[in-house]
Amino acid sequence: MSYWDERYRATTPEERSWTEPSPTSTLEILDRLDLAPDAPVVDVGGGASRLVDALLERGFSDLTVLDLAESALAEARARLGAAAGRVTWVGADVTAWEPGRTYALWHDRAVFHFLVEPSARAAYRERLEGATVPGSYAVLATFAPDGPDTCSGLPVTRWAPAELAAEIGDAFEPLLEGRREHVTPWGSTQPFTWLVARRR
Ligand SMILES: C[S@@+](CC[C@H](N)C(=O)[O-])C[C@H]1O[C@@H](n2cnc3c(N)ncnc32)[C@H](O)[C@@H]1O
């Protein structure tokens, strides 16, 4: 069983630092993008996030959630009940994934920062480019430079907006960037960098 599978199995949502009751920052960003409800969306490393619930509620009809941890996907499916059948669930490592199709929105909250090796980030970029087309959006959220240097017991790379945009590469034009403080279920704050970029 993978590290992440074990993390999900051993904890409730309230015991995970990354849990948010509602994906407010992402939904605020979506309000600013011109995405039709049938636009294909992938939540990379979505885990058991409630973003998929919120997107279904908003009428999005082509949703994919990818995560290494099958237990996280199972938790999200159980929560959604019958509505889970309207979502494509992919158990995969994003750095090795063969998407086989493209998306209008690639969303990643708190996954890219675990890729501390340049080779892993290069593999991620390759998947990101392979899974998007000109006009597609990429939304990434990582720990900010003054954020924690580990997450869930693993080392992370912290990113400032300009560095993150440069790392994603020239194929993407940065559109919006910002800083948000995530409040963990036990009340501590974690500064995040958010980046919204559009595929050139
Ligand atoms: C900090 S959690 C964030 C989960 C979710 N994005 C959210 O905002 O609630 C990180 C997630 O990334 C997943 N993950 C870590 N490395 C991954 C990889 N290489 N490929 C796919 N998923 C990965 C973990 O299983 C976990 O669900």
Side-chain angles (χ1 to χ4, degrees):
M1 189 186 298
S2 78
Y3 177 84
W4 282 105
D5 255 320
E6 186 53 40
R7 287 292 299 166
Y8 278 98
R9 279 176 204 272
T11 54
T12 63
E14 293 69 35
E15 292 170 328
R16 300 173 194 143
S17 58
W18 59 92
T19 295
E20 48 181 4
S22 168
T24 319
S25 298
T26 303
L27 295 178
E28 283 175 16
I29 288 168
L30 286 186
D31 287 340
R32 300 176 66 172
L33 305 182
D34 54 343
L35 282 173
D38 61 352
V41 174
V42 59
D43 189 16
V44 169
S49 163
R50 291 181 176 272
L51 177 60
V52 64
D53 312 42
L55 294 178
L56 283 168
E57 259 172 47
R58 285 185 170 211
F60 280 87
S61 57
D62 188 346
L63 297 173
T64 299
V65 180
L66 172 141
D67 204 282
L68 270 183
E70 293 282 0
S71 53
L73 301 179
E75 183 178 312
R77 279 196 297 267
R79 186 182 67 232
L80 284 166
R86 296 195 269 134
V87 177
T88 301
W89 305 93
V90 180
D93 179 335
V94 63
T95 63
W97 181 41
E98 298 298 340
R101 61 170 301 195
T102 59
Y103 298 89
L105 173 66
W106 170 288
H107 178 267
D108 166 346
R109 174 178 178 268
V111 185
F112 185 77
H113 63 198
F114 290 109
L115 305 180
V116 293
E117 295 297 331
S119 58
R121 294 198 293 271
Y124 179 102
R125 243 183 344 257
E126 207 177 296
R127 269 70 199 178
L128 171 60
E129 288 185 17
T132 50
V133 291
S136 296
Y137 295 103
V139 175
L140 275 78
T142 68
F143 280 166
D146 57 341
D149 56 9
T150 60
C151 178
S152 196
L154 297 174
V156 299
T157 305
R158 297 172 290 181
W159 296 92
E163 291 164 1
L164 183 58
E167 187 69 19
I168 293 310
D170 283 347
F172 286 85
E173 176 196 8
L175 290 183
L176 304 165
E177 54 186 47
R179 175 189 166 88
R180 287 290 177 92
E181 304 238 320
H182 165 62
V183 181
T184 68
W186 46 92
S188 53
T189 52
Q190 298 181 329
F192 270 78
T193 290
W194 282 81
L195 173 72
V196 182
R198 185 167 45 206
R199 178 85 185 262
R200 298 182 201 273

